[in-house]
Amino acid sequence: MSSPDVVCLGESMVALRPGPAGAGRRLADVPSFDRGIGGAESNVACVLARRGHRARWISRVGADPFGTHLVAAVADHGVDTTYVQRDPARPTGVYFRTAGERPTTTGAIAPHHAETVYYRAGSAASAMSPALIPRADAHAGRILHLTGITAALSADCLALLRELVDRAPGTGPLLSFDVNYRAALWRNAATGPRVLAELARACDIVFVGEDEAEAAWGVTGGPDAIRAALPEPAVLVVKQGAAGATAHTHESAVFVPAPAVDVVAPVGAGDAFAAGFLSATLRGLPLPARLRHGHLMAAAALTVPGDLGEPPPAALADTLAGLDPAAWGRLRLGPGWTGRPAEVADPGIKDPGIKNPGIKDPGIEDTGTEDPRT
């Protein structure tokens, strides 16, 4: 088998979301749930595989029906799951989640935040360790993608991440790290932020949200202040919500606004953004194009109910990413936009998915209105 382009390592779980009868209700009042899958690292692997890259997912699941479903579902996206281990003594993690944004702090849940309950303590994935996960398997690709979620699962998981990011300069794969700060996962409130900063400083490409940086490290003042706090990564990507994202290198910084999106569900966008950015990185595209591809993949996730949207065809993504700044600024993406041919991005062509200069379409449009992601 060919070496992977990207290896993604981390826990995935079976996700149970309210069915139609439970829409808009709190978990205690939901009568039935629909089954799906969820996991930051496997989400990235799935999007990259569907974009045509060779993606490997490394993890552990229980030797149970949920584990069987999870591995099969990820493999259905074209991801290599042969390195996923089955544990006969520990279960596959499960979580229940309502619609809404994921809170970055603990405490009372705001009306726009999702209500989430995890059953992952003692899961098969929480037993990942340097002894169980061969370093060579994780370092087999051009990029190794990790997140801060794995570090919070157990002492063994943290030891594994420290082992994987410890390498001599210029050796091994590019290390990609999404901070993914989840305050509720850290038993010690002070430990999490310190560990996440330690891991981020050891990696080449780091993704962090402005809200995460404030919640974890108390850093305010925007991307420049976050870069001052994390000067080590070769590329630091600061996600700024509906406004856009800024990428810092050691030489420069570039901001790319996000297109307006008719949001269906605000889940999975961060993972999709990382996948789009990494896909463009593998292709050697310039930094502004990497950010645009990240935004487009995020929009694909935001315009569907679950974590994984249908990535736009490569030709469509390249056409939209290549729009001039004025046209990009007027772009609006709605449900169904990823199923359109590339030609809809050309002025004057009518299509029901993309609204852009001169295009009459309910999914991609020329607009000056505000993005609903607030």
Side-chain angles (χ1 to χ4, degrees), residues 187-365:
R187 293 181 177 86
N188 185 320
T191 298
R194 176 180 56 78
V195 167
L196 294 175
E198 169 201 332
L199 294 171
R201 292 187 173 109
C203 292
D204 303 299
I205 303 171
V206 174
F207 302 93
V208 64
E210 264 188 322
D211 56 345
E212 288 180 304
E214 181 176 0
W217 305 310
V219 177
T220 59
D224 289 347
I226 298 171
R227 181 55 165 176
L230 287 176
E232 294 86 356
V235 179
L236 174 68
V237 180
V238 179
K239 297 173 288 184
Q240 298 164 263
T246 298
H248 277 271
T249 68
H250 292 312
E251 293 79 28
S252 63
V254 58
F255 169 78
V256 171
V261 177
D262 295 325
V263 176
V264 172
V267 294
D271 303 330
F273 180 94
F277 188 93
L278 293 177
S279 174
T281 298
L282 287 165
R283 296 170 61 195
L285 298 183
L287 209 53
R290 298 182 199 184
L291 291 170
R292 284 195 174 189
H293 279 279
H295 288 318
L296 291 170
M297 287 297 191
L302 289 167
T303 49
V304 298
D307 284 13
L308 291 169
E310 179 66 35
L316 174 58
D318 285 342
T319 299
L320 293 177
L323 291 173
D324 64 70
W328 175 264
R330 294 191 296 269
L331 193 63
R332 188 181 191 91
L333 303 172
W337 75 271
T338 61
R340 309 307 172 193
E343 290 79 6
V344 301
D346 293 336
I349 294 179
K350 299 180 180 180
D351 182 275
I354 305 178
K355 297 181 182 178
N356 193 23
I359 297 177
K360 306 300 182 183
D361 182 289
I364 307 182
E365 68 176 326

Side-chain angles (χ1 to χ4, degrees), residues 124-154:
S126 70
M128 288 189 295
S129 69
L132 291 176
I133 307 297
R135 178 185 176 96
D137 293 346
H139 278 199
R142 295 167 60 190
I143 295 175
L144 171 60
H145 181 68
L146 307 167
T147 82
I149 296 172
T150 305
L153 297 181
S154 68

